[in-house]
Amino acid sequence: MEAVNLKKKEPKIVVAVDESEESMFALSWCLANLISQNKTSNLVLLYVKASPPVYSSLDAARYMFSSDVIMALEKYGSEQVNSVMGKAEALCRKLNNNINVERIVGSGDAKEEICKIVGKIKADTLVMGCHDYGFFKRALLGSVSDHCAKHVKCPVVIVKHQKNI
């Protein structure tokens, strides 16, 4: 007879973070409600930055894009990633000392990239904030959380910020 391993594996929880107050609220909610305070837990912070624009040698106004401008835009994008991730990691340390945090940074359309990465790493739960844009803005921009809730294979927790309730 083969021995059965009854040890429960630690769930892989992914929190999608961005520059918004709503995503940091979702992270706080996750730490308070889904992460154990008594044992070491693992959490994945997922940030998706917009794809860098593709530049031709001439922009629409027929001006040359210098390599300095392109490098400045790339530097700004990296600084933004580090700022958001640093803020999220600081919040994790403040609210829970028994947590191992992994950073994942994607690039592209947030809806598609979040779904792709969550599937690739086989997440058990995805936690996201809700911007609560309203009908017209959501119709024009699309809702990242709605899209992910429909397309990822794991449960999705969409956390509404108290100001949006």
Side-chain angles (χ1 to χ4, degrees):
M1 181 180 256
E2 200 174 310
V4 178
N5 185 359
L6 296 177
K7 189 176 184 180
K8 188 177 175 187
K9 81 171 182 99
E10 189 64 38
K12 187 178 287 189
I13 298 174
V14 175
V15 180
V17 294
D18 61 19
E19 299 79 16
S20 72
E21 192 177 314
E22 290 85 359
S23 79
M24 292 301 144
F25 182 79
L27 176 58
S28 299
W29 184 92
C30 176
L31 292 167
N33 294 285
L34 298 180
I35 302 290
S36 172
Q37 299 290 327
N38 301 325
K39 61 181 180 177
T40 302
S41 298
N42 298 309
L43 181 72
V44 177
L45 298 174
L46 173 57
Y47 179 89
V48 178
K49 60 183 179 176
S51 293
V54 177
Y55 301 106
S56 66
S57 59
L58 300 173
D59 69 5
R62 300 270 185 231
Y63 292 105
M64 294 286 289
F65 263 111
S66 74
S67 61
D68 291 342
V69 171
I70 295 169
M71 284 176 41
L73 289 170
E74 289 172 357
K75 183 180 178 202
Y76 173 76
S78 295
E79 289 170 353
Q80 196 170 17
V81 168
N82 288 331
S83 172
V84 170
M85 289 295 204
K87 185 176 176 183
E89 288 172 334
L91 186 58
C92 289
R93 284 190 303 274
K94 178 181 173 187
L95 298 178
N96 189 328
N97 289 328
N98 296 325
I99 193 163
N100 295 321
V101 177
E102 177 185 352
R103 286 181 174 201
I104 296 179
V105 178
S107 180
D109 177 54
K111 295 182 283 222
E112 299 300 328
E113 201 61 18
I114 290 169
C115 292
K116 182 178 87 178
I117 292 170
V118 165
K120 184 177 179 180
I121 66 171
K122 296 180 171 68
D124 295 300
T125 306
L126 171 62
V127 178
M128 307 179 76
C130 176
H131 293 283
D132 204 24
Y133 285 139
F135 177 77
F136 289 109
K137 197 167 188 180
R138 190 172 50 251
L140 289 172
L141 298 176
S143 168
V144 174
S145 57
D146 285 350
H147 179 87
C148 292
K150 292 174 185 169
H151 292 91
V152 298
K153 304 287 187 242
C154 66
V156 178
V157 178
I158 300 171
V159 181
K160 281 193 154 202
H161 194 284
Q162 290 176 339
K163 74 175 187 174
N164 295 332
I165 296 177

